[in-house]
Amino acid sequence: MSKANLLDRRSVVSSLLKDRKGTIAVGGLGASTYDIAAAGDHDRNLYLWGAMGGAVMIGLGIALAQPKLPVVVVTGDGEMLMGMGSLATVGLQKPGNLSIVVLDNEAYGETCRQVSHTAAAADLVGVARACGISDARAMTTLAEVAAFASTLRDVSSGPRFANVKIDAANLERVLSSRDGTFIVNRIRGSLGFKPI
């Protein structure tokens, strides 16, 4: 695919979260967190602007603790490469309510855009399938993203994995709050739990 035909990351995330209703959205390191915030701040957004490699495991923990609620993790290719072992745990646990979306710009965007392994040999869809996630797909069009988004609220047929090829644009950083206690207490409150 031509680099000129890659998808706009904000359009992808906006499409994924358009009809989210009660979906919990976990944002991975850096840009994916900013993309979730740019799509609209929400009580059920869990922003991880730092924990590289941890987004899928945090999303898995939430999905297992809240099996009746849809959970979507939106992360980047660099973070997914760092946390590939998490896909094996997801494949073993098989939470029906978990969806993982990798925004793949083939670069480590938070550290000066070094080329990531997905630009060459690393096949994240293949890794997800090999780890037992049977619904694993590559997406290159907004129509594919919209079709995938329509499955996110299904809490019984996951886990799902999507690798979306995006452009490498450096966009404005958007974040409602960097206060971890505020973010955790806000999501806890939206789920009916007391603040910590």
Side-chain angles (χ1 to χ4, degrees), residues 109-150:
E110 297 303 308
T111 58
C112 300
R113 302 182 198 285
Q114 300 94 335
V115 174
S116 85
H117 299 21
T118 61
D123 174 8
L124 294 176
V125 172
V127 171
R129 285 187 184 137
C131 288
I133 302 172
S134 58
D135 185 354
R137 54 184 103 173
M139 296 189 292
T140 58
T141 69
L142 276 177
E144 290 169 315
V145 172
F148 187 78
S150 70

Side-chain angles (χ1 to χ4, degrees), residues 48-68:
L48 303 174
W49 54 89
M52 186 166 183
V56 171
M57 290 307 289
I58 289 170
L60 173 62
I62 295 169
L64 294 174
Q66 299 292 323
K68 294 181 181 177

Side-chain angles (χ1 to χ4, degrees), residues 61-190:
I62 295 169
L64 294 174
Q66 299 292 323
K68 294 181 181 177
L69 295 177
V71 177
V72 60
V73 174
V74 180
T75 192
D77 53 304
E79 180 174 2
M80 192 70 261
L81 287 163
M82 185 176 195
M84 279 199 296
S86 62
L87 296 177
T89 305
V90 169
L92 179 67
Q93 294 292 319
K94 298 205 182 310
N97 59 331
L98 179 63
S99 300
I100 302 161
V101 178
V102 176
L103 302 175
D104 185 357
N105 63 3
E106 300 179 354
Y108 294 97
E110 297 303 308
T111 58
C112 300
R113 302 182 198 285
Q114 300 94 335
V115 174
S116 85
H117 299 21
T118 61
D123 174 8
L124 294 176
V125 172
V127 171
R129 285 187 184 137
C131 288
I133 302 172
S134 58
D135 185 354
R137 54 184 103 173
M139 296 189 292
T140 58
T141 69
L142 276 177
E144 290 169 315
V145 172
F148 187 78
S150 70
T151 69
L152 296 182
R153 287 191 311 276
D154 178 353
V155 296
S156 62
S157 64
R160 289 169 287 278
F161 179 92
N163 192 73
V164 185
K165 291 293 185 176
I166 60 165
D167 66 27
N170 187 13
L171 303 173
E172 175 189 2
R173 294 179 176 199
V174 178
L175 191 58
S176 69
S177 174
R178 292 186 68 98
D179 183 331
T181 303
F182 168 78
I183 292 167
V184 169
N185 282 333
R186 184 172 74 161
I187 197 168
R188 285 179 60 83
S190 80

